[in-house]
Amino acid sequence: LLPIISFEGINEKSDERSGRKLHSFIAALHLGLKQTFGGNIDHLQTALHEEPVADSKHRKKYIVLYDTVPGGTGYLKQLMRSKKPLMMVFEKALEALRSCSCNQNPDKDGCYRCLFAYRRSYNMAGTSRDTAIEMLSEILSFKEQLVQTKTLKDIKINSLFESELEARFIEALRRVRNENIPVSLKKEVVNGKPGYFYKIGDKAWYIELQVNLGQPDGIRVKSKADFVFRPARAQEGDKPIVVFTDGFYFHKDRIGKDLLQRCAIAQSGRFHVWSLTWKDIESRYQNQSSYFENYLNIQNKQLEKYNTLTESYGIKDLRKTNKTDSFDWLVRFLINPELAKWQCHAFVHNLIHLDNEQFGTPQGAEQWLNKIRANLPEEVVENFNGAISNTTEPWFYGLFEPDSKKNFMQLYIAAQRDAIQACKISGMYIACRLEDDTENREKKEFESVWNGYLRLYNLLQFIPHTYFVTRQGMTDEYIYGGFEEYASKDSSINNNEWDEVLDLTDSTIHGLINQLAENNCPVPEVGFELIDENGQIIAEAELGWPNNQIAFLLPNQLTYSVLFNQAGWKAVPLKDVSANPEKYISLFNK
């Protein structure tokens, strides 16, 4: 079973990256067989086999190795007698590829002395020595962890699928074309592990892969982000962007948990969060048609109000985003993260759903409150009630139910009168509920609903008091409220962790460490080691914060400043921090 997942409508020829991996691996396999058995091995042939994955548009891809001699020659039986012989084939292939003289020529990615002699003639351009080395190295890194399985059909492919989706996302970023805006993507060591440096226009970002997020980051609910984009040169207001790439087949039964995690990230106040689906990414390669429910469509009766508001708030240029997808939004935000504009645009999209005619009387307001009590989690209702009861300022209410007959979603809005006049986003509360019960999830149109729901949250996250919940999530008793309360507390402080920091450091900096703790700074790693892309330690710092890319250095570590800076970190002498703690504590709020 190959670590390549093919998609409906995508074949080998159109999917260059997967095709290169496939053909490079087949050629490497034959090279290893030749190195192992010697002589003529033409009777050992390979064929491709694909099988559909149940309830999805994905397909598993297999290589079948077979013997063309009637009755067989015994070679394959020899390979399968234990787990060692096949690993030996891979090891011999890897050794031959790494030792070939063509490695000395930077313009060559293989030659006839190593890989090219074993490639199929119609795939001449799709065979890569470096790709084969990468794949074989990864396989062999797990050779001591092999487990037996009765059939390859039992192997779950969600991890394979997600890794392919993530790779296609990176390639989609590289392919971005925007008039007069240069784009470049290169591999880079980010936080001590392989990542990317992405420059688009005047903005540059470090892309970190597979990032664990949780309490040390001020986030109440743990999650593992596919990517975190960190600004290379942060300006005031810039925040890292957490990106998730989701396939519907593997996420349709956990939408409630996904939204719980993403709301927690946004409500921490330290990150933006972006959800991209398979079709968001695949649309960069092939037109996906109308794959998301567009909950930002402006109805004719709302158009005049919408145009007036966007004009008065100075956000006319964001009107076109109503028709574009989440990937386009992310690219636009990476080029110019105009936070205030996106906040206003989210604000306006909720204002147009306020309905003073239906909910403007005391009876109407009570009717609206009864609706949220019946349909939202108790903790979210308490947040709404607390805000409304803590002020004498009049409130306006709204309810948006697209396709009310199908009943897939409800969006509840409450806004203070003075907030409306000044685009004061803190004076608006939003709650959106998705009906993701089992019956709805099996409906044909639900995938487009899910795509649209995640897209809607990508925009509405810019309103601080936003809660996206799902029916199944409420059934599973996820706690969707309380994020703001959590973010305002010492959420990043774990007394035991700070005690450990004190134990591991010299008493001369304990005063500074206590100040860091009191100011809700993340807990650092003591004796942090910076690792390059080859896994080698290249620099050290007394205190290091990988998620913030900040390092505090002792005098004997100052020579490492250049290496930290080259890796995108901010390296500061500890004596400077101790002399002016407030200046450097502010770094953690950016």
Side-chain angles (χ1 to χ4, degrees), residues 321-363:
T321 61
N322 292 340
K323 301 294 185 183
T324 56
D325 62 33
S326 291
F327 187 93
D328 281 328
W329 291 2
L330 177 61
V331 169
R332 180 177 180 133
F333 198 80
L334 291 172
I335 295 170
N336 190 358
E338 300 173 291
L339 178 59
K341 282 191 172 184
W342 285 85
Q343 288 175 329
C344 280
H345 200 223
F347 193 78
V348 166
H349 269 286
N350 289 289
L351 290 183
I352 62 175
H353 295 304
L354 295 179
D355 190 346
N356 207 37
E357 183 177 328
Q358 183 176 358
F359 303 119
T361 64
Q363 295 81 6

Side-chain angles (χ1 to χ4, degrees), residues 119-135:
R119 65 185 176 186
R120 293 178 287 184
S121 60
Y122 55 88
N123 290 312
M124 296 288 281
T127 308
S128 160
R129 179 200 63 220
D130 291 344
T131 299
I133 289 175
E134 180 184 348
M135 296 183 75

Side-chain angles (χ1 to χ4, degrees), residues 109 196 256 266 290 341 476 488 551:
D109 191 12
Y196 296 90
S290 301
K341 282 191 172 184
D476 294 337
S488 67

Side-chain angles (χ1 to χ4, degrees), residues 164-392:
E164 269 308 286
L165 182 58
E166 291 162 14
R168 294 180 78 78
F169 169 64
I170 291 294
E171 174 61 17
L173 287 175
R174 189 186 66 79
R175 293 186 180 197
V176 167
R177 295 292 179 269
N178 199 310
E179 189 176 352
N180 300 322
I181 296 179
V183 175
S184 65
L185 176 75
K186 65 177 183 178
K187 291 184 178 180
E188 187 74 71
V189 175
V190 181
N191 282 345
K193 58 186 179 182
Y196 296 90
F197 180 77
Y198 190 54
K199 195 169 189 303
I200 183 164
D202 295 327
K203 293 294 291 186
W205 302 83
Y206 289 102
I207 306 176
E208 185 179 359
L209 281 61
Q210 300 299 314
V211 183
N212 290 312
L213 299 171
Q215 199 171 78
D217 310 289
I219 299 170
R220 185 176 70 95
V221 182
K222 290 182 179 180
S223 60
K224 187 172 186 178
D226 297 319
F227 307 92
V228 175
F229 286 68
R230 303 186 190 279
R233 295 177 293 277
Q235 299 176 352
E236 186 175 355
D238 284 355
K239 297 177 184 178
I241 306 168
V242 177
V243 176
F244 292 91
T245 53
D246 297 341
F248 177 65
Y249 177 64
F250 300 112
H251 283 262
K252 69 176 182 178
D253 295 329
R254 52 161 292 160
I255 303 171
K257 186 174 183 179
D258 286 343
L259 267 298
L260 175 74
Q261 292 172 330
R262 285 155 216 203
C263 286
I265 292 168
Q267 294 286 6
S268 74
R270 299 183 179 185
F271 303 88
H272 302 304
V273 60
W274 230 272
S275 297
L276 296 174
T277 70
W278 174 73
K279 289 191 174 179
D280 284 326
I281 296 168
E282 208 57 29
S283 64
R284 293 18 258 175
Y285 301 89
Q286 267 190 340
N287 181 19
Q288 298 298 306
S289 189
S290 301
Y291 66 89
F292 58 84
E293 290 294 325
N294 191 352
Y295 297 122
L296 302 180
N297 265 337
I298 307 301
Q299 305 298 320
N300 289 334
K301 62 181 181 180
Q302 301 168 326
L303 187 58
E304 183 178 353
K305 183 178 182 180
Y306 173 77
N307 287 339
T308 300
L309 288 168
T310 51
E311 181 99 35
S312 63
Y313 291 149
I315 54 171
K316 286 170 55 179
D317 59 321
L318 284 181
R319 290 176 183 172
K320 65 182 73 173
T321 61
N322 292 340
K323 301 294 185 183
T324 56
D325 62 33
S326 291
F327 187 93
D328 281 328
W329 291 2
L330 177 61
V331 169
R332 180 177 180 133
F333 198 80
L334 291 172
I335 295 170
N336 190 358
E338 300 173 291
L339 178 59
K341 282 191 172 184
W342 285 85
Q343 288 175 329
C344 280
H345 200 223
F347 193 78
V348 166
H349 269 286
N350 289 289
L351 290 183
I352 62 175
H353 295 304
L354 295 179
D355 190 346
N356 207 37
E357 183 177 328
Q358 183 176 358
F359 303 119
T361 64
Q363 295 81 6
E366 187 61 28
Q367 177 191 358
W368 185 88
L369 288 168
N370 286 336
K371 284 180 177 290
I372 68 168
R373 290 173 189 137
N375 293 292
L376 297 178
E378 182 179 347
E379 69 275 6
V380 174
V381 174
E382 287 178 359
N383 287 338
F384 273 81
N385 284 336
I388 293 168
S389 61
N390 281 339
T391 178
T392 57

Side-chain angles (χ1 to χ4, degrees), residues 19 50 55 62-63 73 80 103 111 118 125 215 235 265-266 277 302 378 381 395 400 494-495 497 501 540:
E50 289 190 2
D55 301 321
Y62 298 87
I63 288 180
T73 58
M80 292 294 103
N103 284 277
C111 70
Y118 303 97
Q215 199 171 78
Q235 299 176 352
I265 292 168
T277 70
Q302 301 168 326
E378 182 179 347
V381 174
W395 285 76
F400 173 47
N494 180 308
N495 289 331
E497 290 180 310
V501 173
E540 296 177 352

Side-chain angles (χ1 to χ4, degrees), residues 390-406:
N390 281 339
T391 178
T392 57
E393 184 73 25
W395 285 76
F396 296 91
Y397 304 100
L399 172 60
F400 173 47
E401 293 182 282
D403 299 323
S404 56
K405 290 182 180 179
K406 295 180 180 178

Side-chain angles (χ1 to χ4, degrees), residues 65-110:
L65 179 64
Y66 65 98
D67 196 330
T68 60
V69 174
T73 58
Y75 283 15
L76 300 187
K77 186 176 181 180
Q78 184 177 340
L79 285 180
M80 292 294 103
R81 70 177 188 269
S82 73
K83 61 186 179 183
K84 292 183 179 179
L86 188 58
M87 291 300 106
M88 187 183 298
V89 170
F90 293 149
E91 287 173 338
K92 287 182 177 293
L94 183 58
E95 181 183 355
L97 291 170
R98 284 177 169 169
S99 62
C100 185
S101 60
C102 67
N103 284 277
Q104 306 305 314
N105 188 337
D107 296 326
K108 285 189 175 182
D109 191 12

